[in-house]
Amino acid sequence: ELPRIRMPRHLRQTYVRRVGDAVNMMIPFQGKPKPEVIWTKGDQPLDTSRINIRNTDKDTIFYIRQAQRGDSGKYELTVRINGAEDKAILDIRVIEPPGPPQNLKLVDVWGFNVALEWTPPADNGNSEIKGYVVQKSDKKSGKWFTALERCTRTSCTISDLIIGNTYSFRVFAENACGLSEKAAVASGVAHIEKTKTAYQPEKIPQRDMMEPPKFTQPLTDRTTTRGYSTHLFCCVRGFPQPKIIWMKNQMEIREDPKYIAMIEQGVCSLEIRKPSPFDGGIYTCKAVNPLGEASVDCKLDVKGKF
């Protein structure tokens, strides 16, 4: 019977173990008479002080008590009978946690934000770096809290920091084995200062709120009955608050007890107390501020009592 290695499915891909773990694999084969079993690594015989091999008629057992990084590599298994042979490759990778990231720097502090940068660890633990865990600690509590998990780049921005607090930052590297035992700690600290807000009230009105007067609701023509007080209404907006001038037939209404003018929250009203037919005519409401002026008119008819 020709030799044939029956490599188990889970050994056909890279076999990963952690440093210190045991490696114990049984690989069955077939062939008669009893095949010759040969193990090599890089065309060299195995180091039998570290690796134990035990062969039977039907399988070979590969055993390492405590795996080390140096045990990683491709192992070749050859099963031979009278010149006929079958070969298989066993790829072993022994991993451990990575070293800490390097050159962690506090690049910038603005508002409630901090920018950090670093470089990958010198030793990745024989396993690809999956990402980084970024932690912050404020001086008051001294406790570390995770700000970013599984950050895949070598830079980040931490936001929503608290005014008045002073923060330190550290970064761990992570691979398939877990987090680095040590973290890179930024040499500087970030103090989140109170932003100056005094200029805001000056800026906002100039940019957003200054506007010339504009009537949002005009005056409407009115008919009223002699002797019954009546009101004229209109609405105006503008900033600064406009000065309101009422006129009748283009003549300004000055301090006359017959008229009561009011403005409240942009609503202008003029009360005409017990009007007579003489009080009919064209009424004008004029609004003036430093940016301009606007006016609206209406006609008032006063009819006699029937």
Side-chain angles (χ1 to χ4, degrees), residues 30-136:
Q30 58 194 47
K32 289 179 183 176
K34 181 181 177 181
E36 179 188 5
V37 177
I38 304 152
W39 281 95
T40 56
K41 181 185 181 188
D43 295 328
Q44 298 295 317
L46 301 189
D47 177 2
T48 53
S49 67
R50 291 201 45 74
I51 303 168
N52 294 303
I53 301 293
R54 192 164 59 80
N55 301 320
T56 71
D57 292 356
K58 295 182 180 178
D59 56 43
T60 177
I61 293 170
F62 180 107
Y63 179 73
I64 302 173
R65 184 181 295 277
Q66 286 187 318
Q68 300 300 325
R69 286 268 291 271
D71 296 324
S72 300
K74 288 183 164 52
Y75 293 80
E76 188 174 71
L77 168 63
T78 305
V79 176
R80 187 181 294 156
I81 303 173
N82 300 330
E85 61 182 34
D86 191 17
K87 293 191 175 199
I89 299 291
L90 184 65
D91 188 7
I92 296 177
R93 187 186 303 162
V94 182
I95 65 172
E96 62 185 335
Q102 297 187 300
N103 308 315
L104 175 58
K105 287 177 192 155
L106 193 59
V107 181
D108 199 5
V109 182
W110 75 100
F112 309 103
N113 312 290
V114 166
L116 301 169
E117 275 182 7
W118 60 90
T119 54
D123 179 9
N124 68 359
N126 206 25
S127 175
E128 184 185 346
I129 299 294
K130 285 183 176 180
Y132 300 91
V133 173
V134 183
Q135 294 187 336
K136 63 183 179 183

Side-chain angles (χ1 to χ4, degrees), residues 235-297:
C235 296
V236 70
R237 76 169 189 226
F239 193 88
Q241 183 174 319
K243 179 187 174 188
I244 303 300
I245 300 165
W246 285 94
M247 295 185 288
K248 176 191 169 192
N249 299 330
Q250 299 300 314
M251 296 290 291
E252 187 176 339
I253 297 171
R254 295 192 178 270
E255 294 178 12
D256 185 330
K258 181 178 273 292
Y259 300 102
I260 299 173
M262 294 180 72
I263 178 166
E264 189 171 345
Q265 295 187 349
V267 179
C268 308
S269 65
L270 180 70
E271 182 183 355
I272 306 163
R273 304 172 80 179
K274 297 185 178 178
S276 65
F278 171 76
D279 294 315
I282 303 296
Y283 283 82
T284 302
C285 181
K286 188 175 182 181
V288 183
N289 78 2
L291 276 76
E293 61 179 59
S295 63
V296 286
D297 301 323

